[in-house]
Structure formats: C-alpha cells, structure tokens
Amino acid sequence: MRILIVHHGQLPGGNQPITGGALRAWNHGRALTAAGHEVHYLHREQDGPGGFSSAPDLIRHAQAIHPDRIICLQLEDAPALSELECPLAIDLYAPRLIEAAHQENLAQVTTQTLCALAVGDAFLVSNARQGHAW
C-alpha cells in the first residue's frame, strides 16, 4: 500500500534540529515501511526542496504520489487533503487546543481543529489518556 505522510519540519538526518511533528512522521514512516508499505513524505516548502507552498499546491503534490492512504500530522492541512477522496488519518499527537489557549490564537486553532475532525476518517493519538482528552 502506498501511504503519504504530510508533516511540517525536516525529517531526521544531518545536523539540523528536528521538530516533534517531523520526528513523529518519521517514526510512523519507519513502522509502516517495516510492515511492507511504500511510504512517501510531503512537507512544507519552507522545510526544504520539493515541499508544498499552499493548499492547492499540497493537493497537486499529493495527487502526483497517488496514495492509497494519507496520514496528516498538521490539522490545518487536513481539509485540503480531504479533497483527494483517499482515506485520511489525522494524527492528534499535540494538545493543540490547550497550547492555543496559552498562545492567544484559540479561535483560529479551534476552527482548524473542528475542520480537521470533520474530514478525518481515522484519528491517531499517542496514548489512551490523550485519546480520552480528545
């Protein structure tokens, strides 16, 4: 099965710092590859060459990969990916709503979260407690 993992940040390798989301994407990919799946990664343009720059650009890049399944690690990318008519798993690894309450962007993140939850076919969490929180 061809699986596309959409994330932000640079994957491990080299001497650059790694974000939690990119590390989680890389670990998903390692596990899926070990299970025999073909894994492709797609990141933002600012994170390196070959990345996407906008929602329409994300759709174009994703369509070119022809995924059978998609894992999305950034809630704000989920609505665009839902247009591909491919099963979409949303990784809810970060407590985005709790973080947003302390960063003064709660309204924006709440909207992004609700939009992502509306389009996801499956949801991933780090542990049972996090699942209960969501």
Side-chain angles (χ1 to χ4, degrees):
M1 184 173 299
R2 182 177 295 133
I3 300 173
L4 172 61
I5 300 176
V6 178
H7 64 93
H8 294 180
Q10 294 182 1
L11 297 174
N15 293 324
Q16 78 277 357
I18 302 164
T19 65
L23 184 58
R24 189 154 168 93
W26 182 70
N27 281 316
H28 283 318
R30 289 180 49 208
L32 290 164
T33 299
H37 300 286
E38 178 184 334
V39 175
H40 297 263
Y41 298 95
L42 184 55
H43 56 81
R44 294 178 301 178
E45 185 177 64
Q46 72 186 43
D47 297 325
F52 63 91
S53 59
S54 63
D57 194 36
L58 170 57
I59 293 167
R60 280 191 297 279
H61 276 82
Q63 285 174 327
I65 294 170
H66 302 289
D68 297 309
R69 303 286 187 273
I70 300 171
I71 298 174
C72 179
L73 280 92
Q74 299 303 132
L75 299 177
E76 60 270 21
D77 296 332
L81 293 167
S82 71
E83 295 185 25
L84 296 176
E85 298 182 15
C86 176
L88 175 62
I90 313 280
D91 192 337
L92 301 171
Y93 70 94
R96 300 280 299 267
L97 294 174
I98 294 170
E99 293 170 348
H102 299 282
Q103 296 171 347
E104 300 181 13
N105 61 346
L106 184 58
Q108 176 187 1
V109 173
T110 299
T111 300
Q112 289 173 342
T113 300
L114 291 173
C115 289
L117 293 174
V119 300
D121 296 299
F123 302 94
L124 306 173
V125 293
S126 297
N127 56 58
R129 287 179 61 196
Q130 189 179 45
H132 293 301
W134 278 102

